[in-house]
Amino acid sequence: IGHSILKAIYEILSTGKRYHELGGMYVAQKKEKESKEINQKLVQIATALKKYEISCKDLKLVIPTCQKDFVSWGKELNICVGTYGYDKKMIEGKCIILMVYLNDQPLECCELTKKDRGNSLKIEQLRGKHNGESPRHSDCEKLVNQFIRNVGKNWQVTA
């Protein structure tokens, strides 16, 4: 008998809880463990990419370091970055997510992916509030393109 089954039997006998009550507890523990692993990998990726972070005047590129960044950015700009699994895509090496800040406020979110040939990056999406373009869209695009040039062909930074 597996350890988790024995643990569940012990919980049922010692607390009087029903098995279905314990199921939620184990699901929550599994999600918490997965979230912790994702956050650790995001920190590793952000650390590797930190040297490429740039700013220009009042605009700054920020690399996410935890799942909460994705969620807060999604809520702030009313976009899907916090709910569509971009954190997992990023740790799998399928994309790099960046946020362009204007004076400490999220302005546009960027998804970078690998070009069809080679390891260089391209802008897949660059979106502001409600998936639109901010008044500073062209400045955001210039900043992101500079980031791409800085990274060069070193984009594969999976943890």
Side-chain angles (χ1 to χ4, degrees):
I1 297 177
H3 177 70
S4 59
I5 293 173
L6 288 174
K7 191 173 177 182
I9 292 170
Y10 174 79
E11 283 288 323
I12 291 168
L13 294 175
S14 64
T15 64
K17 290 183 179 178
R18 294 187 175 100
Y19 184 75
H20 70 275
E21 292 175 300
L22 295 175
M25 181 177 74
Y26 289 113
V27 168
Q29 287 174 351
K30 184 177 178 185
K31 284 185 178 182
E32 183 179 323
K33 181 181 176 188
E34 181 182 272
S35 179
K36 185 177 179 181
E37 290 170 358
I38 290 171
N39 285 334
Q40 287 172 341
K41 289 178 181 177
L42 287 171
V43 166
Q44 290 174 348
I45 292 168
T47 301
L49 289 173
K50 187 82 172 157
K51 60 187 168 198
Y52 303 114
E53 271 187 344
I54 54 174
S55 58
C56 182
K57 298 179 185 172
D58 52 357
L59 294 178
K60 180 182 179 184
L61 274 182
V62 175
I63 300 161
T65 58
C66 64
Q67 290 177 307
K68 288 181 182 178
D69 289 341
F70 291 86
V71 173
S72 66
W73 293 346
K75 287 180 181 178
E76 184 80 26
L77 296 180
N78 200 15
I79 56 176
C80 68
V81 72
T83 59
Y84 202 67
Y86 285 101
D87 52 351
K88 291 178 184 166
K89 283 177 67 175
M90 190 161 163
I91 67 167
E92 292 168 355
K94 295 178 180 175
C95 69
I96 295 175
I97 301 296
L98 305 168
M99 180 59 73
V100 180
Y101 274 77
L102 171 65
N103 298 325
D104 298 325
Q105 292 296 315
L107 182 64
E108 290 197 9
C109 188
C110 182
E111 177 189 12
L112 301 177
T113 58
K114 191 168 95 169
K115 286 185 179 179
D116 293 333
R117 297 177 188 202
N119 273 345
S120 56
L121 295 166
K122 67 176 181 176
I123 297 174
E124 188 71 31
Q125 300 183 69
L126 182 57
R127 307 272 190 241
K129 282 196 178 208
H130 304 284
N131 285 323
E133 293 182 358
S134 73
R136 300 282 303 274
H137 181 76
S138 64
D139 293 333
C140 293
E141 194 170 28
K142 288 176 188 172
L143 195 64
V144 171
N145 280 321
Q146 183 60 52
F147 175 86
I148 290 171
R149 284 190 295 278
N150 291 352
V151 171
K153 296 185 185 298
N154 303 316
W155 85 279
Q156 195 70 27
V157 290
T158 55

